Amino acid sequence: MTSPERDPHPTEDPTGPPVEQPVGEEPTTGQPRRSGLRNPERAVRGLGAGTLSLEALVLLLAIQPIRVVGGDLGGAAIGAVVALAVAAVVLAGMMRRQWAWNAGTVLQGLLLLGGLLHWSLLGLGIIFALVWAYALHVRRVILG
């Protein structure tokens, strides 16, 4: 007869009240807790690539509504939006490289500067800068 599997790191003392564990540490060793992901680097790269891909899609799909509803969106502004979308797609494919994260941050700044061309680009820039900041936070938490 086999015994039931036991948790090697119980968080409760079966004879008393729950034992408090420091956040982010293994219960008995004091070592940083692993994320639980099989390949954390790959997961974080996927998050960055997905964020940049979504940004590129939104930028391209936003051109026509901005032109129709938002007023005058000139050829230079449309070219800037397309260039930012292409840059986001290229960076999404290069997330294996360490510098791509910094370049993604610069891309968010450029989109914010696009607000000088049209106010709605500033709105998109704020939204995606916040999403990118969250992705950087998740990256820092998972990879340390």
Side-chain angles (χ1 to χ4, degrees):
M1 183 167 189
T2 62
S3 63
E5 285 196 31
R6 291 180 14 159
D7 184 10
H9 304 293
T11 57
E12 293 184 5
D13 183 7
T15 61
V19 177
E20 293 293 324
Q21 297 297 330
V23 175
E25 292 185 0
E26 284 289 329
T28 57
T29 63
Q31 298 293 325
R33 185 179 344 162
R34 295 190 45 167
S35 66
L37 299 168
R38 289 186 188 152
N39 189 344
E41 293 85 10
R42 185 174 180 188
V44 168
R45 283 194 314 263
L47 172 65
T51 300
L52 290 171
S53 299
L54 179 64
E55 182 174 357
L57 180 66
V58 168
L59 284 172
L60 291 175
L61 290 175
I63 292 173
Q64 187 62 20
I66 291 172
R67 286 183 61 223
V68 171
V69 176
D72 186 32
L73 187 64
I78 292 173
V81 170
V82 171
L84 287 172
V86 168
V89 170
V90 168
L91 285 175
M94 301 185 117
M95 292 310 295
R96 287 181 186 240
R97 295 177 170 76
Q98 184 66 30
W99 58 264
W101 287 93
N102 295 328
T105 303
V106 170
L107 182 73
Q108 305 315 311
L110 292 174
L111 182 55
L112 286 168
L113 285 176
L116 297 173
L117 299 172
H118 197 273
W119 63 268
S120 60
L121 295 178
L122 176 64
L124 287 175
I126 291 170
I127 291 168
F128 278 107
L130 291 172
V131 171
W132 188 252
Y134 180 70
L136 289 174
H137 169 73
V138 169
R139 177 180 182 241
R140 190 187 78 227
V141 168
I142 290 178
L143 298 181

